[in-house]
Amino acid sequence: PAVKEIEYERAAFESTSLIESQSNRVYSKGTIEMIMNHRFGLVTGTNDLIGIWAPADIRLAVNYSITDFITVGFGTTKDGRLQDFSLKAAIFKQRVDGKMPVNITYYGNASISALPKENFYHLSDRWSFFNQLIISKKISKTFSLQLAPSYSHYNAVDAPMSNDLFAIEFGGKAKITSSMNFLLDVNQPITTQQIAPKSGFATGLEFSTVGHSF
């Protein structure tokens, strides 16, 4: 008998990013993704035009899907002069028949700082690493959710900070119209330190066209 082709559920999220965090999305083989992240400064209530005139951070990146399950990427960031190398792998994909009820995706990122050498004692001090396991589910045509524990390691930190940081991310998407989604992205550090890492909370609207996703 002919082997029945596995039918995967439609993607839980439109884009590979969910505001501040990665989503489970891995594009099909041969896809090239260009990324420009622009983060405005803090809203201080002074002469900063709600953060637009404040110091900004910019990241430019390109990702390439080697297969339907694996994407590699490179990016460069203004703040810290960070050069990062990334890998995203779809370990399991949600299936229509329910035999695999969730998506499980790995995301890893290794980053090296290109700041002048006087900022470091050793070459290894320039490196930091990020690992995350993204568990997501397309609940219906309207709602998608994800939960993503992560582990970060910095080779060099200022005392009394720890080199290692564990955190967990919760994200969601709610479809408002056929071309607009409401996004939620919450990051909560788990590691307890004398200088507590800050939690992250973000909401956004995602607009999609036939050829683009904003």
Side-chain angles (χ1 to χ4, degrees):
V3 178
K4 185 179 180 180
E5 185 177 352
I6 297 175
E7 187 178 358
Y8 295 108
E9 187 62 78
R10 293 192 64 180
F13 295 93
E14 304 292 338
S15 174
T16 57
S17 299
L18 184 65
I19 309 180
E20 296 282 358
S21 306
Q22 290 288 316
S23 75
N24 75 289
R25 186 74 186 269
V26 175
Y27 290 134
S28 57
K29 179 181 178 179
T31 300
I32 298 175
E33 179 186 30
M34 304 293 294
I35 298 173
M36 184 179 73
N37 301 120
H38 189 288
R39 178 180 292 170
F40 296 105
L42 295 175
V43 179
T44 62
T46 59
N47 185 26
D48 59 12
L49 192 62
I50 60 170
I52 296 176
W53 290 344
D57 193 16
I58 299 171
R59 178 178 180 266
L60 301 176
V62 59
N63 297 326
Y64 178 72
S65 297
I66 300 174
T67 72
D68 291 343
F69 292 80
I70 299 176
T71 295
V72 294
F74 170 76
T76 182
T77 303
K78 172 187 171 183
D79 190 15
R81 304 297 189 266
L82 301 177
Q83 319 303 309
D84 65 87
F85 307 87
S86 63
L87 169 69
K88 182 183 276 190
I91 303 171
F92 296 107
K93 289 187 177 183
Q94 185 177 348
R95 292 171 53 166
V96 172
D97 60 14
K99 291 184 177 180
M100 175 49 64
V102 297
N103 302 289
I104 300 178
T105 305
Y106 166 78
Y107 177 76
N109 186 296
S111 177
I112 184 170
S113 174
L115 286 172
K117 61 182 181 180
E118 55 264 25
N119 290 275
F120 308 95
Y121 289 107
H122 309 286
L123 177 62
S124 60
D125 293 345
R126 296 178 180 270
W127 285 95
S128 58
F129 306 90
F130 178 80
N131 295 276
Q132 188 172 48
L133 196 64
I134 306 169
I135 304 166
S136 67
K137 183 176 180 64
K138 184 178 179 66
I139 298 174
S140 67
K141 292 182 179 180
T142 304
F143 297 103
S144 296
L145 296 174
Q146 75 172 32
L147 191 68
S150 65
Y151 164 66
S152 303
H153 175 81
Y154 300 85
N155 279 3
V157 296
D158 295 328
M161 297 292 288
S162 170
N163 296 81
D164 302 295
L165 176 65
F166 291 92
I168 191 161
E169 184 268 348
F170 171 77
K173 181 192 80 173
K175 184 170 288 294
I176 301 172
T177 69
S178 60
S179 60
M180 183 187 300
N181 300 318
F182 172 79
L183 303 179
L184 173 68
D185 185 12
V186 181
N187 283 275
Q188 177 59 51
I190 298 173
T191 305
T192 300
Q193 304 198 78
Q194 287 180 287
I195 301 176
K198 294 182 179 180
S199 303
F201 177 88
T203 60
L205 290 176
E206 181 178 52
F207 301 89
S208 298
T209 65
V210 175
H212 305 81
S213 180
F214 298 95

